[in-house]
Every structure is written in structure tokens, then in C-alpha cells.
Amino acid sequence: MRFVVLLRGVNVGGVRLVMSDLRSALTAAGYADVTTVLASGNVLLTADGDEASVRSDVEAVLRREFGYDAWVVVLTADRLAEVVAAYPWQTDEEVRHPYVIFSSDGRSTAELGALDGLDPAVERTAPGPHHVLFWEVVRGDTLGSVVGKASAKAAYKSTTTTRNLRTLRRLLA
């Protein structure tokens, strides 16, 4: 089965991985057709098993081979296609960033989606399929927004990762 593996905090938060090394490590661990997209921890691979077993194994490979506390979100390519197709807003990407926040536990995105104090002129959220939270924010306001600040908290480090809709479309291409 084809899986999408989204690594949290790679090449943006202090953890530096060379994508060719990442591909080699996952191939050596028995995964097939390993491809990376961009340099921010987006991996496509083929494996037997389910999302939970791939997640557990990939995290173990990353910890062993690269020596960091690795957390990933794993979903099938079909599920990613469902998420992208369900994005609820038409977005002018020159004005607003369209994001999807992924969760490995479902609780995290539910909490982020229930945050109070969102300024609708700046950001908006909507729940999506497969434990995701759709989030759209004015360009330049991502880190200072309510959701941006909350999602950066340590409580969400091991369970969430965020991707721009454009990156997700590239993963499906």
C-alpha cells in the first residue's frame, strides 16, 4: 500500500536531515519506492501493514538512524487525496495561506479547532476527515495567529504537523 509519511519539525525546527539519507534509511528498513518531496520531511513509500504500524516503525528508524525524538503522521495516499479534496475554502494564496493540520491522535486537532478568540479577518478553521483541521490564515500572520501560537506549544509536538495545501497537492501529483 502507498503511504504518506509527514515528519514533524524537519529542516525547519532545528532537526536537519538530508533527504537522500532519509530515503536510504527507510529503504534499508525495508520500505519500497521511497520518495521525498521538498526538504521538509514529506515521504511517500510503499509498505505492508497499516498506518499505525508504519508510524511506529518509521519513528523507530528515525530515532535509531538520526538520533532525535522523531514524530510522524502517517496516512494512506487515498486518505490524503480525500483530505485535499475536502479543503473547504477557495483561497487566494497571494493573500491567505491554506493549511492542513494533521493529528496522530485526533484529540489535538479537535482542541485546536475549539480555540476561542480567532479573528475571522485573520484566520478560520474547520474540521476535516481523518483527524485533520483545515486552517486558513492571512499571509504574514501565521506565527502570531491564535492557532499558530497554540499549535507550536509542546503539548502538540508529538501529535501534530502542519502542511500547506500546495505541498499536499505536490505529494499527490
Side-chain angles (χ1 to χ4, degrees), residues 25-38:
L26 292 172
T27 300
Y31 293 104
D33 307 314
V34 178
T35 306
T36 55
V37 178
L38 304 172

Side-chain angles (χ1 to χ4, degrees), residues 7-154:
L7 285 67
R8 187 186 202 293
V10 171
N11 295 341
V12 294
V15 175
R16 299 284 176 223
L17 294 181
V18 175
M19 293 299 104
S20 59
D21 294 344
L22 176 59
R23 286 190 302 274
S24 295
L26 292 172
T27 300
Y31 293 104
D33 307 314
V34 178
T35 306
T36 55
V37 178
L38 304 172
S40 55
N42 305 295
V43 180
L44 297 165
L45 54 79
T46 301
D48 295 327
D50 60 13
E51 292 165 341
S53 65
V54 171
R55 176 180 178 230
S56 176
D57 186 59
V58 168
E59 287 177 345
V61 168
L62 295 172
R63 288 176 178 139
R64 181 179 65 246
E65 297 298 321
F66 300 104
Y68 79 100
D69 242 354
W71 293 290
V72 302
V73 173
V74 176
L75 62 161
T76 65
D78 289 343
R79 286 187 182 206
L80 179 61
E82 291 171 13
V83 167
V84 169
Y87 194 81
W89 305 294
Q90 292 294 326
T91 299
D92 178 351
E93 293 188 36
E94 296 299 316
V95 178
R96 300 176 80 82
H97 284 297
Y99 291 113
V100 179
I101 302 174
F102 293 87
S103 172
S104 60
D105 68 0
R107 179 188 51 79
S108 301
T109 46
E111 289 174 5
L112 292 168
L115 291 172
D116 291 324
L118 271 65
D119 179 350
V122 175
E123 64 186 325
R124 58 186 170 177
T125 64
H130 309 298
H131 305 300
V132 305
L133 181 67
F134 297 121
W135 172 40
E136 187 179 78
V137 63
V138 172
R139 288 178 71 89
D141 288 340
T142 300
L143 298 177
S145 69
V146 172
V147 174
K149 288 177 184 176
S151 64
K153 291 182 178 179

